[in-house]
Amino acid sequence: MAAFDPWDPAFLADPYPAYAELRAKGRVQYFEPTNQWLVPHHADVSALLRDRRLGRTYQHRFTHEEFGRTAPPAEHEPFHTLNDHGMLDLEPPDHTRIRRLVSKAFTPRTVERLKPYVTGLAGELVDRLVAAGGGDLLTDVAEPLPVAVIAEMLGIPEADRAPLRPWSADICGMYELNPSEDVAARAVRASVEFSDYLRDLIAERRKEPGDDLISGLIAAHDEGDRLTEQEMISTCVLLLNAGHEATVNATVNGWWALFRNPGELRALRADHSLVPRAVEELMRYDTPLQLFERWVLDDIEIDGTAVPRGAEIALLFGSANHDPEVFRDPERLDLARADNPHISFSAGIHYCIGAPLARIELAASMTALLEKAPTLTLAADPERKPNFVIRGLEGLSVRIG
């Protein structure tokens, strides 16, 4: 298993050969450096995402001691308070209740109503890129689009948006494998600052409700049940973080893949009707979220291997999305791929609530770049971020013509 090394720059540059090796070795392997069981096959990842013997948390059933785990350090408490009250890290019945209430505000109609705003903003960002003769696709288009969209949706004033991306980046550092104390300290600080900001904004919206998601979350109720203030804060942070991290990284990973596959890029430029399939294929080909974790709540067995209660399973999305048992010629970028059951948005009760919005954003920016920057080329090979779980680039330098 020497090839699987999530801290090795060579692995981070291209983890997919290591995934092929993992799949060849079997359906589950123990990885001592992170004390996790790695699951690399699509069928297993898909099934385990739906298996109620696993959970995103165990605290609805066990104490840390009962589960054989150590409680997080007290100084990390602000991060865990924020993280542990978001529906992504909860299990039923709390997850069911919160997702039901959030869904009352985060409706398909709400998302569809944002479409003209998303399309218009994508066009404006690309116009600026073209006028400048190029730039960094990450900071000029990929990043500002989803951050502005989710901020607009939440009702965060434009003047307050500058810290959102840094707060998100610092908080998401805790989702990497074995984060350092420095990473933890930044995550805690960002959790405190972001929570304080949202607490004040929620108080304002209680006094003067608007036509925004925060006001909708305040108003959402079901048989007298409402979100607590902490649940609202955690939901807003989750929607912002999950609502742009994947989209930002899918955009730059996707264009980097297109530049390395000029035949597919030419086909896309010749036929813009390929955009919806291209979005799905690029999400599969270089998955922005490579790993999703689950706790084993009850003993399970995977292909004859016993995985006991208290263990942690690492579901390898990137590997699953390259499984030749599901995807024909998986290492080839194929924008016309019709059958594409990728799991980049997860599955089961934790399926990404923002997937429809992410698809709208990715299609809008891709279409704007195809239409307004048909001569877009790569200016320099990018550097890969030194992260494994959230896979992205430090930047993507491009020029026009």
Side-chain angles (χ1 to χ4, degrees):
M1 289 186 59
F4 183 85
D5 183 350
W7 300 280
D8 178 14
F11 171 85
L12 295 176
D14 184 9
Y16 300 103
Y19 290 153
E21 190 176 308
L22 282 179
R23 291 192 301 270
K25 285 179 180 290
R27 289 171 53 193
V28 63
Q29 292 107 52
Y30 179 68
F31 187 59
E32 188 173 0
T34 59
N35 191 24
Q36 292 174 318
W37 293 84
L38 306 178
V39 176
H41 287 263
H42 186 284
D44 293 319
V45 171
S46 183
L48 291 171
L49 284 169
R50 297 170 170 85
D51 195 322
R52 303 314 308 139
R53 294 173 299 171
L54 277 65
R56 282 290 293 172
T57 183
Y58 53 79
Q59 294 184 71
H60 61 307
R61 285 182 52 183
F62 308 101
T63 65
H64 294 298
E65 292 72 23
E66 288 169 341
F67 206 62
R69 294 282 163 171
T70 303
E75 59 268 25
H76 295 180
E77 182 273 329
F79 166 80
H80 289 287
T81 294
L82 180 64
N83 187 69
D84 295 354
H85 285 81
M87 57 187 168
L88 183 63
D89 279 78
L90 288 171
E91 291 297 311
D94 288 330
H95 172 274
T96 310
R97 178 180 65 83
I98 293 175
R99 185 156 182 142
R100 187 175 66 241
L101 287 166
V102 172
S103 295
K104 287 177 176 292
F106 199 90
T107 64
R109 182 186 296 179
T110 304
V111 173
E112 191 63 28
R113 203 167 59 221
L114 277 170
K115 204 168 185 177
Y117 174 76
V118 176
T119 303
L121 180 55
E124 289 173 18
L125 293 168
V126 173
D127 282 339
R128 287 179 212 155
L129 183 78
V130 171
D136 183 352
L137 196 62
L138 175 73
T139 57
D140 295 343
V141 177
E143 206 170 68
L145 177 64
V147 171
V149 169
I150 198 66
E152 186 77 12
M153 195 176 193
L154 287 167
I156 296 176
E158 201 163 334
D160 295 352
R161 294 176 185 176
L164 297 180
R165 175 66 172 162
W167 281 336
S168 174
D170 285 346
I171 290 169
C172 288
M174 284 291 273
Y175 304 137
E176 292 299 322
L177 300 177
N178 300 353
S180 68
E181 274 307 309
D182 182 53
V183 167
R186 289 201 301 272
V188 166
R189 184 169 58 250
S191 298
V192 170
E193 292 174 0
F194 204 170
S195 296
D196 288 346
Y197 171 78
L198 286 169
R199 194 169 288 109
D200 290 342
L201 188 59
I202 289 167
E204 288 179 23
R205 291 294 184 274
R206 285 192 194 280
K207 294 176 190 171
E208 296 183 35
D211 184 22
D212 55 68
L213 187 54
I214 288 178
S215 298
L217 293 174
I218 293 169
H221 65 279
D222 191 1
E223 297 178 359
D225 197 7
R226 294 180 183 273
L227 295 169
T228 67
E229 182 179 74
Q230 183 58 59
E231 288 166 350
M232 276 190 278
I233 289 169
S234 296
T235 295
C236 290
V237 171
L238 173 62
L239 291 174
L240 178 84
N241 292 356
H244 82 275
E245 286 289 348
T247 308
V248 170
N249 293 315
T251 301
V252 291
N253 289 348
W255 276 95
W256 174 222
L258 288 170
F259 288 135
R260 286 178 289 135
N261 290 269
E264 292 300 288
L265 180 53
R266 279 194 300 272
L268 183 59
R269 283 173 169 160
D271 183 4
H272 295 182
S273 71
L274 287 173
V275 165
R277 283 189 180 179
V279 166
E280 303 303 317
E281 174 66 351
L282 291 166
M283 293 273 303
R284 178 202 72 83
Y285 183 75
D286 202 8
T287 311
L289 180 67
Q290 291 280 309
L291 177 153
F292 212 54
E293 294 155 332
R294 286 286 192 277
W295 296 106
V296 180
L297 306 176
D298 297 296
D299 296 350
I300 63 171
E301 189 176 285
I302 302 173
D303 195 29
T305 298
V307 183
R309 186 186 85 180
E312 189 175 31
I313 285 184
L315 303 171
L316 298 176
F317 282 18
S319 177
N321 283 341
H322 280 245
D323 189 339
E325 293 181 14
V326 177
F327 303 98
R328 183 180 178 183
D329 198 4
E331 304 309 319
R332 183 169 74 87
L333 182 68
D334 180 6
L335 301 187
R337 193 183 296 273
D339 186 18
N340 194 347
H342 69 77
I343 52 172
S344 300
F345 290 117
S346 192
I349 67 168
H350 289 291
Y351 180 79
C352 177
I353 197 171
L357 180 58
R359 287 185 165 110
I360 288 171
E361 292 169 344
L362 290 165
S365 68
M366 180 175 286
T367 300
L369 286 162
L370 292 170
E371 291 177 351
K372 296 170 178 288
T375 59
L376 189 74
T377 58
L378 187 67
D381 284 355
E383 286 185 33
R384 180 68 60 185
K385 282 188 175 177
N387 301 335
F388 166 54
V389 175
I390 300 175
R391 179 170 172 78
L393 302 174
E394 294 284 7
L396 190 63
S397 182
V398 296
R399 58 174 169 260
I400 310 299

